[in-house]
Amino acid sequence: MARRIDEGPRPKHAQLSDALADLAIRELGPDTAIPSERELMATYDVSRATVRKAIDSLVAGGLLHRIQGKGTFVARPRVESRLHLASFSDDMRRRGLVPSTRLMLVDEERPPAEVVRSLGLGARGTAWRIDRVRLADGQPMAIEQGWYPRSLLPDLDTEDLTGSLYTLFAERYGIVIDAAEQTLWGEAAEGATARRLEAPVHTPLLVFHRVSSAGGRPVEHVVSRYRGDRYQVHMSLGAAQGAARKKSTRRERST
């Protein structure tokens, strides 16, 4: 029986949002379409504006997602990652998901100036450009463009690049990635990126820019764009070390 939407102090769209959330979690499950707007209007005796406002709030919250031309569906739970140094393949396996890769491009190129600087390629150095779509349980999760010094990784284009590059570097070249500097920001999916991720245009993305090194020598410059409706990041935060040291010094002086 449908939950009744009444004229009480709580707005109708909020009541309907609760009802739809309950329906999505208890009855429908991931990747299942919710009833159409017309069906929801008839079932709950509310206006189209109320239905759309309720659905919009659940889409914004990540419980539902729209597919243009098909409808609105229950979203899959986001994969959660703690910020740490690991390959995509290892990260997904740790969460019980099966990683796979679509290799889009591998080529030797003279990279952009930013990449030349971060990899220390000098005036004439080249790098392998590797574009890949990363999947978890067959669902596109991220698209990445990586650059890797050719001088360190000869014949990389002849290797299998559909798995963990970090494992390949260690086993084939004896290069173990042991440190990285990483920056995170947000974007909206557009154009080819949206198509390759099979995501609606304007889907939020988490963008990671990482420069990884082995023994102090830069090996990787990569930008990865993750679907924000399928991936989230967990961080444990503490007080800054500088602040902690100042407090410790004050205590020592007071004693």
Side-chain angles (χ1 to χ4, degrees):
M1 182 178 295
R3 183 183 300 186
R4 182 176 177 179
I5 306 299
D6 58 37
E7 299 289 346
R10 196 152 184 260
K12 287 186 176 182
H13 69 83
Q15 296 179 57
L16 180 57
S17 180
D18 290 345
L20 291 180
D22 190 63
L23 176 68
I25 295 170
R26 295 179 180 274
E27 298 184 31
L28 298 180
D31 299 327
T32 304
I34 68 169
S36 68
E37 290 184 358
R38 189 180 298 276
E39 290 174 306
L40 292 173
M41 290 166 60
T43 300
Y44 294 97
D45 190 24
V46 293
S47 68
R48 186 179 299 273
T50 296
V51 169
R52 289 183 175 175
K53 197 167 185 178
I55 291 175
D56 285 346
S57 69
L58 294 177
V59 170
L63 183 61
L64 303 179
H65 70 102
R66 292 187 176 93
I67 299 179
Q68 189 171 2
K70 294 184 178 180
T72 303
F73 297 78
V74 180
R76 294 191 177 198
R78 289 184 176 95
V79 174
E80 180 174 285
S81 176
R82 293 178 179 267
L83 288 179
H84 61 290
L85 184 56
S87 69
F88 174 90
S89 298
D90 290 341
D91 196 19
M92 294 302 108
R93 289 193 188 100
R94 191 176 291 115
R95 284 151 183 77
L97 303 173
V98 178
S100 57
T101 299
R102 293 174 186 161
L103 182 62
M104 309 297 294
L105 172 71
V106 54
D107 197 13
E108 180 187 358
E109 299 181 17
R110 175 68 175 174
E114 178 189 9
V115 180
V116 170
R117 288 192 299 271
S118 67
L119 294 181
L121 296 180
R124 297 184 180 180
T126 59
W128 300 110
R129 173 182 168 180
I130 301 176
D131 293 358
R132 304 190 296 175
V133 176
R134 315 305 301 275
L135 302 94
D137 283 353
Q139 298 291 321
M141 181 72 71
I143 184 170
E144 62 184 32
Q145 181 179 101
W147 297 89
Y148 307 88
R150 184 186 182 283
S151 60
L152 292 180
L153 304 161
D155 303 319
L156 183 60
D157 59 335
T158 65
E159 301 290 338
D160 180 5
L161 304 177
T162 60
S164 167
L165 294 184
Y166 289 7
T167 299
L168 173 64
F169 295 166
E171 295 180 351
R172 169 71 172 80
Y173 298 95
I175 296 175
V176 179
I177 301 293
D178 56 17
E181 293 291 331
Q182 184 164 268
T183 305
L184 168 66
W185 67 87
E187 283 183 7
E190 304 285 352
T193 297
R195 291 193 297 273
R196 289 175 178 175
L197 287 173
E198 299 175 15
V201 174
H202 305 314
T203 294
L205 304 177
L206 292 173
V207 187
F208 296 85
H209 171 259
R210 176 186 285 190
V211 178
S212 307
S213 58
R217 184 164 187 177
V219 177
E220 173 188 58
H221 179 119
V222 63
V223 176
S224 304
R225 290 174 166 83
Y226 283 75
R227 286 188 56 158
D229 58 344
R230 293 181 177 171
Y231 192 83
Q232 64 187 27
V233 176
H234 177 89
M235 292 172 280
S236 296
L237 306 177
Q241 291 183 357
R245 283 197 297 269
K246 289 178 181 178
K247 290 180 181 179
S248 176
T249 301
R250 291 194 188 102
R251 291 193 186 109
E252 290 172 3
R253 290 175 179 173
S254 65
T255 57

